[in-house]
Amino acid sequence: MLYLDHADAMHRAAARVLRGTRVAHRYQDAVQDAVVSLMSSWPTGKVENWEAFMVSVARRKALDILKSADVRHPDYKPVEEHDPLDEEDVAETVTSVLDQDHVVKAAREKLALLPDRDRYVLEQYKALGRPGREVARELGISPGRVSQIATSALKTMGRMLKEEGVTW
């Protein structure tokens, strides 16, 4: 019963530790190892928070898996599909970065032309990801109106950029 109550949290914790590694698929093994470990040596003291305790054990078992993978395969390097110094790729990357820089500069110029309220809504709601209800409360408008202002401001910026020949 204790495992069933906290299984999801244990799986999430183990998956988080192993995410982005070549052993990410072994998060379930970490949880299983944690349960086996708990069954073989039950804690002797009083456990204040079982979820925190079980998540901690699962996280440690995931770290053990990660460390053992590095010990068993210390020289492992993923196979490159192409030469990273391929001249065409470098040229494309440089061109892409320069194009992005041009778009960013143009967007900043157009953002400065927007009314203060529209610019503030875009910065707070879209760029910083603040909840619409917080921005709405600050401005004394409804959250729906915040969304409308953001959408309208983005369309206006897109129109101004398109008139300048900038695609984004």
Side-chain angles (χ1 to χ4, degrees):
M1 185 68 171
L2 197 57
Y3 168 74
L4 294 176
D5 291 341
H6 307 298
D8 289 340
M10 292 174 73
H11 281 91
R12 282 193 307 271
R16 198 170 320 139
V17 169
L18 299 175
R19 185 180 300 140
T21 68
R22 65 183 179 274
V23 290
H25 62 283
R26 296 202 45 211
Y27 72 94
Q28 292 173 328
D29 294 342
V31 173
Q32 181 178 1
D33 291 348
V35 171
V36 169
S37 174
L38 286 170
M39 289 173 61
S40 65
S41 61
W42 197 252
T44 55
K46 182 178 179 190
V47 176
E48 295 291 328
N49 184 337
W50 277 103
E51 181 174 17
F53 180 75
M54 294 177 77
V55 164
S56 174
V57 173
R59 191 178 299 126
R60 277 189 252 124
K61 291 299 180 179
L63 287 170
D64 289 347
I65 289 172
L66 192 59
K67 289 176 186 173
S68 69
D70 288 340
V71 169
R72 281 188 262 155
H73 308 287
D75 297 327
Y76 173 81
K77 290 183 179 54
V79 177
E80 292 288 331
E81 290 185 17
H82 66 284
D83 182 4
L85 298 178
D86 186 4
E87 291 179 22
E88 290 180 24
D89 287 347
V90 172
E92 286 177 23
T93 302
V94 169
T95 302
S96 174
V97 168
L98 291 175
D99 287 345
Q100 289 173 353
D101 187 45
H102 173 70
V103 170
V104 168
K105 285 179 184 175
R108 283 188 181 142
E109 290 172 6
K110 301 310 176 206
L111 185 62
L113 298 175
L114 292 175
D116 290 341
R117 183 175 73 167
D118 293 10
R119 186 172 51 252
Y120 182 79
V121 167
L122 275 183
E123 289 169 350
Q124 297 297 311
Y125 180 60
K126 290 294 185 180
L128 297 177
R130 290 187 54 212
R133 66 182 174 282
E134 286 181 14
V135 177
R137 192 172 28 248
E138 287 177 14
L139 297 175
I141 58 178
S142 71
R145 184 66 185 134
V146 168
S147 179
Q148 290 172 344
I149 291 170
T151 302
S152 174
L154 286 173
K155 285 181 181 177
T156 301
M157 280 184 59
R159 206 171 24 257
M160 289 190 290
L161 289 168
K162 188 175 181 180
E163 289 171 1
E164 197 172 291
V166 177
T167 55
W168 59 316

